[in-house]
Coordinates of all heavy atoms in Angstrom, one line a residue:
L61 N 36.0 -80.4 -76.4 CA 36.7 -81.6 -75.9 C 36.4 -81.8 -74.4 O 36.4 -80.8 -73.6 CB 38.2 -81.4 -76.1 CG 39.1 -82.6 -75.7 CD1 38.9 -83.7 -76.7 CD2 40.5 -82.3 -75.4
M66 N 34.2 -91.3 -72.8 CA 35.5 -91.9 -73.2 C 35.5 -93.4 -72.8 O 35.0 -93.8 -71.8 CB 36.7 -91.2 -72.6 CG 36.8 -89.8 -73.1 SD 37.1 -89.7 -74.9 CE 38.8 -90.2 -74.9
K70 N 38.5 -95.0 -77.5 CA 38.5 -93.6 -77.8 C 39.8 -92.9 -77.4 O 40.3 -92.0 -78.1 CB 37.2 -92.9 -77.3 CG 36.0 -93.4 -78.0 CD 34.8 -92.7 -77.4 CE 33.5 -93.1 -78.1 NZ 32.3 -92.5 -77.6
F71 N 40.3 -93.3 -76.2 CA 41.6 -92.7 -75.8 C 42.6 -93.0 -76.8 O 43.4 -92.1 -77.2 CB 42.0 -93.3 -74.4 CG 41.4 -92.6 -73.2 CD1 40.5 -93.3 -72.4 CD2 41.7 -91.3 -72.9 CE1 39.9 -92.7 -71.3 CE2 41.2 -90.7 -71.7 CZ 40.3 -91.4 -71.0
T72 N 42.7 -94.2 -77.3 CA 43.7 -94.6 -78.2 C 43.5 -93.8 -79.5 O 44.5 -93.3 -80.1 CB 43.6 -96.1 -78.5 OG1 43.8 -96.8 -77.3 CG2 44.6 -96.6 -79.6
E73 N 42.3 -93.7 -80.0 CA 42.1 -93.0 -81.3 C 42.4 -91.5 -81.1 O 42.9 -90.9 -82.0 CB 40.7 -93.3 -81.8 CG 40.5 -94.7 -82.2 CD 41.5 -95.2 -83.2 OE1 42.1 -94.4 -84.0 OE2 41.7 -96.4 -83.2
L74 N 42.0 -90.9 -80.0 CA 42.3 -89.5 -79.8 C 43.8 -89.3 -79.8 O 44.3 -88.3 -80.4 CB 41.7 -89.0 -78.5 CG 41.9 -87.5 -78.2 CD1 41.3 -86.6 -79.2 CD2 41.3 -87.2 -76.8
F75 N 44.5 -90.2 -79.1 CA 46.0 -90.1 -79.0 C 46.5 -90.2 -80.5 O 47.4 -89.4 -80.8 CB 46.6 -91.1 -78.1 CG 48.1 -91.2 -78.2 CD1 48.8 -90.2 -77.5 CD2 48.7 -92.1 -79.0 CE1 50.2 -90.2 -77.5 CE2 50.1 -92.1 -79.0 CZ 50.8 -91.1 -78.3
N76 N 46.1 -91.2 -81.2 CA 46.6 -91.4 -82.6 C 46.4 -90.1 -83.5 O 47.3 -89.7 -84.2 CB 45.9 -92.6 -83.2 CG 46.4 -93.9 -82.7 OD1 47.5 -94.0 -82.1 ND2 45.6 -94.9 -82.8
I78 N 45.9 -86.9 -82.5 CA 46.7 -85.8 -82.0 C 48.2 -86.0 -82.3 O 48.9 -85.2 -82.8 CB 46.5 -85.6 -80.5 CG1 45.1 -85.0 -80.3 CG2 47.5 -84.6 -79.9 CD1 44.6 -84.9 -78.8
L82 N 50.6 -83.9 -84.7 CA 51.7 -83.2 -84.1 C 53.1 -83.6 -84.7 O 53.9 -82.7 -84.9 CB 51.8 -83.4 -82.6 CG 50.7 -82.6 -81.8 CD1 50.8 -83.1 -80.4 CD2 50.9 -81.1 -81.9
I94 N 41.8 -76.9 -80.5 CA 41.0 -77.7 -79.6 C 40.3 -76.7 -78.6 O 41.0 -75.9 -78.0 CB 41.8 -78.7 -78.8 CG1 42.5 -79.6 -79.7 CG2 40.9 -79.4 -77.8 CD1 43.5 -80.5 -79.0
L103 N 41.4 -81.5 -67.4 CA 42.0 -82.2 -68.5 C 42.9 -83.3 -68.0 O 42.9 -84.5 -68.6 CB 42.8 -81.3 -69.4 CG 42.0 -80.4 -70.3 CD1 42.8 -79.4 -71.0 CD2 41.2 -81.2 -71.4
K106 N 40.8 -86.2 -66.7 CA 40.0 -86.9 -67.7 C 40.8 -87.7 -68.7 O 40.4 -88.8 -69.2 CB 39.1 -85.9 -68.4 CG 38.2 -86.6 -69.5 CD 37.0 -85.7 -69.7 CE 36.1 -86.4 -70.8 NZ 35.0 -87.2 -70.2
Y107 N 42.0 -87.2 -69.1 CA 42.8 -87.9 -70.2 C 44.1 -88.4 -69.6 O 44.6 -87.9 -68.6 CB 43.1 -86.9 -71.3 CG 41.8 -86.4 -71.9 CD1 41.2 -85.2 -71.6 CD2 41.1 -87.2 -72.8 CE1 40.0 -84.8 -72.1 CE2 39.9 -86.8 -73.4 CZ 39.4 -85.6 -73.0 OH 38.2 -85.2 -73.6
D108 N 44.6 -89.4 -70.2 CA 45.8 -90.0 -69.7 C 47.0 -89.1 -69.9 O 46.9 -88.1 -70.6 CB 46.1 -91.4 -70.2 CG 46.4 -91.4 -71.7 OD1 46.6 -90.4 -72.3 OD2 46.5 -92.5 -72.3
E109 N 48.1 -89.5 -69.3 CA 49.3 -88.6 -69.2 C 49.8 -88.3 -70.6 O 50.3 -87.2 -70.9 CB 50.4 -89.2 -68.4 CG 51.6 -88.4 -68.1 CD 51.2 -87.1 -67.4 OE1 50.3 -87.1 -66.6 OE2 51.9 -86.0 -67.7
R110 N 49.8 -89.3 -71.5 CA 50.3 -89.1 -72.9 C 49.5 -88.1 -73.6 O 50.1 -87.2 -74.3 CB 50.3 -90.4 -73.7 CG 51.1 -91.5 -73.2 CD 51.1 -92.8 -74.0 NE 49.7 -93.2 -74.4 CZ 49.4 -93.8 -75.5 NH1 50.3 -94.1 -76.4 NH2 48.2 -94.1 -75.8
I111 N 48.2 -88.1 -73.5 CA 47.4 -87.0 -74.2 C 47.6 -85.7 -73.5 O 47.8 -84.7 -74.1 CB 45.9 -87.5 -74.2 CG1 45.7 -88.7 -75.1 CG2 45.0 -86.3 -74.7 CD1 44.4 -89.3 -75.1
F112 N 47.5 -85.7 -72.1 CA 47.6 -84.4 -71.4 C 48.9 -83.7 -71.7 O 49.0 -82.5 -71.9 CB 47.4 -84.6 -69.9 CG 47.6 -83.4 -69.1 CD1 46.5 -82.4 -69.1 CD2 48.7 -83.2 -68.4 CE1 46.7 -81.3 -68.4 CE2 48.8 -82.0 -67.7 CZ 47.8 -81.0 -67.7
S113 N 50.0 -84.5 -71.7 CA 51.3 -83.9 -71.9 C 51.4 -83.2 -73.3 O 52.1 -82.2 -73.5 CB 52.4 -84.9 -71.7 OG 52.4 -85.9 -72.7
R114 N 50.8 -83.8 -74.3 CA 50.7 -83.2 -75.6 C 49.9 -81.9 -75.6 O 50.3 -80.9 -76.3 CB 50.2 -84.2 -76.6 CG 51.4 -85.2 -77.0 CD 50.8 -86.4 -77.6 NE 51.9 -87.3 -78.0 CZ 52.6 -88.1 -77.2 NH1 52.4 -88.0 -75.9 NH2 53.6 -88.8 -77.6
F115 N 48.8 -81.9 -74.8 CA 48.0 -80.7 -74.7 C 48.9 -79.5 -74.2 O 48.9 -78.4 -74.8 CB 46.8 -80.9 -73.8 CG 45.7 -81.7 -74.4 CD1 44.9 -82.4 -73.5 CD2 45.6 -81.9 -75.7 CE1 43.8 -83.2 -74.0 CE2 44.5 -82.7 -76.2 CZ 43.7 -83.4 -75.3
V116 N 49.6 -79.8 -73.1 CA 50.3 -78.7 -72.4 C 51.6 -78.4 -73.1 O 52.2 -77.3 -73.0 CB 50.4 -78.9 -70.9 CG1 49.1 -78.9 -70.2 CG2 51.2 -80.1 -70.6
G117 N 52.2 -79.4 -73.7 CA 53.6 -79.3 -74.3 C 53.6 -78.8 -75.7 O 54.6 -78.3 -76.2
Y119 N 50.7 -77.3 -77.5 CA 49.6 -76.4 -77.9 C 49.8 -75.1 -77.2 O 50.2 -75.1 -76.0 CB 48.2 -76.9 -77.6 CG 47.8 -78.1 -78.6 CD1 48.1 -79.4 -78.2 CD2 47.2 -77.8 -79.8 CE1 47.8 -80.4 -79.1 CE2 46.9 -78.8 -80.6 CZ 47.2 -80.1 -80.3 OH 46.8 -81.2 -81.1

Side-chain angles (χ1 to χ4, degrees):
L61 184 76
M66 293 299 286
K70 288 182 181 179
F71 276 113
T72 299
E73 294 305 333
L74 180 61
F75 175 80
N76 288 338
I78 290 171
L82 285 173
I94 301 171
L103 282 171
K106 182 155 177 96
Y107 298 98
D108 68 8
E109 188 62 33
R110 295 182 314 150
I111 293 173
F112 179 75
S113 69
R114 281 160 178 78
F115 290 156
V116 297
Y119 289 91

